[in-house]
Amino acid sequence: MSIIRDIVAREILDSRGHPALEADVLVQDAAGVEFRGRAAVPSGASTGRREALELRDGDPARYQKRGLLKAVANIRETILPALGGMDVFDQALIDERMCEIDGSPNKSVLGANAILAVSLACAKAAAEVEGLPLYRSLARHGSDDRSPESRGDSEGDSESAGTASNPKTMPVPMMNVLNGGAHADNPLDIQEFMIVPVAAADLREAVRCGAEVFQTLKAALTQRGLTTAVGDEGGFAPALASSQEAIELILEAIEQAGYAAGSDVHLALDVAASEFYEEGRYHLRGEGRILDAGEFAAWLENLAKNYPIVSIEDGMAEDDKEGWGILSNRLGDRIQLVGDDLFVTCPATIARGIEEGIANSVLIKLNQIGTLSETLKAIETARSGGYTVIISHRSGETEDTVIADLAVATAAGQIKTGSLSRSDRVAKYNRLIRIEEDLAKAEGAYYPRMAAFAPRGALEMR
Ligand code: PGA
Ligand code: ZN
């Protein structure tokens, strides 16, 4: 038994300079040796309406109402007394306990930020006790599936993409080099224009490719007299007239950097369509057009036809089920259609979406649901329906790199963690580089390339 002895919470700053919640969980093992796990919770800007509640003080006298003293107090006064004395390895029980005490459907009593900070800090403390890197510890303890297959005991496992307790699959990154929408002050309607190095030999080479394209894009912007200031996720945010112009510019940078667009590097978009869906229509302000769902689906289909796009996230608004149906029918068999605001990492919502046949991929954000256990359940639910999963950051991040470890531990196959600049973004890439190096010394690492975009079963049967 390794017992939770104390939990300390505090306000730190996120990448936008707003307060973020951090928790330290202190545990003692049977020999009386102390260990600590520390976790910080990120914050979104284009948040889904059904996300678990991020508890902020609302006090105008502190941090423009964004203070987190209530969440800090909830950890100290309510969560600590409830978890004190529990075994830190009982992750599921710890998470259940916090949900029970909260008692609300969206964690609005204690705050999803308070609950998640503790949930993740427990997982990290457990890894410390075991003396394992987080991705290995998460893979061992984080899965509900304790079957021999999931433990990697089955024959011929070295040929598989890695299993729950035998991680080896590195995620293919979707790198957000050009920012628009709610993440930038430019007229671009689409929030994220991402490059995807689908032909790299390994993760390290994928990062090099991304960085080279990013620097080439910077030079191209300078040459055109456009700003190279970056948006919230470290991508450029130039005042370009249209999405097409943004895409063309990126394709040009890919080629100029010495890569082949459409084979070495593909594109991915996060439309974040909920942000410009008003009264049943899509208001493309940059394009100066207002479209209904059918017209907007046709607009997206056209982009997908003209450019090497492998993935479109939130192509329809979270409340536009009909639009999602249209988009899924038109593009679902050709392209990855990712639900972010649509699914908010909620297992039940994902299960419903699978039943309805909308989207074919799920964006996984820990703080949308608020515990590690529920996040793992969301991943499992998505996969059981044949949907791909992408582990994701938030636009307001911290130096915490837990999503890199989670991506490897769950063999997610894909990660979305921003551009190739700003330490809050590159910290995750750097962590992945180190994990890959670590894996190379042991069982070897696997970079899935295009297979990451095939339905889950295909990745496993590679
Ligand atoms: P958010 O943006 O963190 O502001 O929600 C990221 C995304 O939409 O994927
Ligand atoms: Zn999104």
Side-chain angles (χ1 to χ4, degrees):
M1 288 263 278
S2 294
I3 302 296
I4 297 174
R5 285 275 176 240
D6 197 8
I7 309 176
V8 182
R10 65 183 70 85
E11 290 172 319
I12 59 167
L13 292 183
D14 74 12
S15 55
R16 281 192 275 252
H18 295 314
L21 190 66
E22 182 173 81
D24 294 353
V25 166
L26 302 165
V27 303
Q28 205 172 46
D29 73 3
V33 183
E34 290 204 345
F35 299 87
R36 186 187 68 180
R38 170 175 290 168
V41 177
S43 181
S46 60
T47 49
R49 225 166 28 79
R50 297 178 197 84
E51 291 191 19
L53 184 106
E54 177 183 74
L55 185 65
R56 300 226 176 237
D57 297 341
D59 174 2
R62 299 187 72 253
Y63 283 123
Q64 283 83 27
K65 302 189 187 172
R66 293 173 192 268
L68 296 165
L69 296 184
K70 283 183 191 166
V72 169
N74 287 347
I75 289 178
R76 190 85 217 154
E77 291 158 20
T78 310
I79 295 178
L80 172 60
L83 301 190
M86 283 181 80
D87 186 346
V88 78
F89 287 98
D90 282 340
Q91 185 78 47
L93 221 57
I94 288 167
D95 291 344
E96 259 169 46
R97 193 80 224 277
M98 289 192 283
C99 291
E100 250 169 51
I101 304 167
D102 179 88
S104 72
N106 64 342
K107 303 188 174 62
S108 56
V109 175
L110 296 174
N113 41 355
I115 293 172
L116 182 61
V118 174
S119 179
L120 291 177
C122 284
K124 290 189 180 186
E128 287 299 316
V129 174
E130 290 184 300
L132 285 176
L134 184 60
Y135 73 93
R136 285 191 189 277
S137 176
L138 279 179
R140 274 177 71 163
H141 300 280
S143 172
D144 287 342
D145 183 359
R146 301 293 166 123
S147 65
E149 295 78 34
S150 86
R151 291 203 310 270
D153 297 347
S154 59
E155 286 224 351
D157 179 65
S158 60
E159 279 311 298
S160 85
T163 53
S165 62
N166 178 27
K168 63 191 275 194
T169 302
M170 299 303 297
V172 172
M174 303 205 292
M175 300 155 145
N176 181 11
V177 291
L178 237 157
N179 301 184
H183 292 168
D185 299 325
N186 60 15
L188 287 172
D189 299 303
I190 292 179
Q191 180 179 281
E192 301 172 19
F193 297 85
M194 295 171 278
I195 51 172
V196 194
V198 290
D202 50 28
L203 182 278
R204 191 180 52 163
E205 286 295 287
V207 170
R208 177 170 75 88
C209 167
E212 288 171 1
V213 173
F214 180 74
Q215 299 302 341
T216 311
L217 182 60
K218 184 174 187 173
L221 290 170
T222 306
Q223 212 175 35
R224 284 171 170 75
L226 290 161
T227 176
T228 56
V230 296
D232 285 354
E233 296 186 352
F236 301 116
L240 295 168
S242 70
S243 302
Q244 286 84 346
E245 199 183 337
I247 291 173
E248 302 270 357
L249 200 65
I250 295 170
L251 292 177
E252 213 180 289
I254 292 169
E255 296 285 339
Q256 263 179 28
Y259 297 94
S263 53
D264 291 334
V265 185
H266 283 239
L267 301 180
L269 304 175
D270 181 4
V271 179
S274 306
E275 296 296 309
F276 52 85
Y277 182 66
E278 289 156 34
E279 289 162 4
R281 305 222 283 170
Y282 294 88
H283 294 244
L284 295 168
R285 296 203 166 76
E287 315 268 330
R289 300 170 73 188
I290 300 175
L291 305 177
D292 67 23
E295 292 165 339
F296 191 49
W299 187 80
L300 289 172
E301 192 176 12
N302 208 39
L303 282 185
K305 204 170 72 201
N306 293 334
Y307 302 112
I309 295 170
V310 278
S311 178
I312 298 180
E313 178 180 334
D314 281 351
M316 290 283 157
E318 60 194 303
D319 293 324
D320 187 8
K321 277 280 168 72
E322 204 188 317
W324 267 106
I326 297 170
L327 186 67
S328 305
N329 282 338
R330 289 176 89 138
L331 280 175
D333 59 344
R334 269 177 287 160
I335 229 177
Q336 178 170 274
L337 296 176
V338 188
D340 169 14
D341 292 353
L342 178 70
F343 294 135
V344 290
T345 317
C346 172
T349 312
I350 295 166
R352 214 173 312 128
I354 292 169
E355 236 164 70
E356 293 164 350
I358 55 171
N360 55 29
S361 176
V362 181
L363 199 77
I364 299 291
K365 290 169 165 169
L366 288 145
N367 78 325
Q368 282 183 329
I369 187 70
T371 61
L372 175 60
S373 305
E374 289 164 291
T375 303
L376 294 170
K377 181 100 197 333
I379 294 171
E380 209 179 287
T381 306
R383 281 179 168 162
S384 66
Y387 282 34
T388 52
V389 294
I390 304 152
I391 310 296
S392 173
H393 66 162
R394 298 308 305 246
S395 52
E397 265 294 331
T398 71
E399 62 270 36
D400 195 310
T401 56
V402 66
I403 59 165
D405 286 74
L406 182 66
V408 179
T410 58
Q414 296 180 55
I415 192 167
K416 189 174 103 153
T417 185
S419 183
L420 293 306
S421 80
R422 303 296 152 194
S423 292
D424 41 299
R425 309 299 142 184
V426 303
K428 281 70 164 176
Y429 294 123
N430 292 343
R431 172 70 185 146
L432 286 171
I433 288 171
R434 294 181 198 115
I435 292 176
E436 187 175 64
E437 194 179 295
D438 191 29
L439 284 173
K441 280 188 242 147
E443 53 272 75
Y446 164 58
Y447 183 73
R449 301 172 163 211
M450 262 329 235
F453 296 86
R456 175 65 196 166
L459 176 58
E460 255 178 351
M461 284 151 40
R462 166 180 78 99

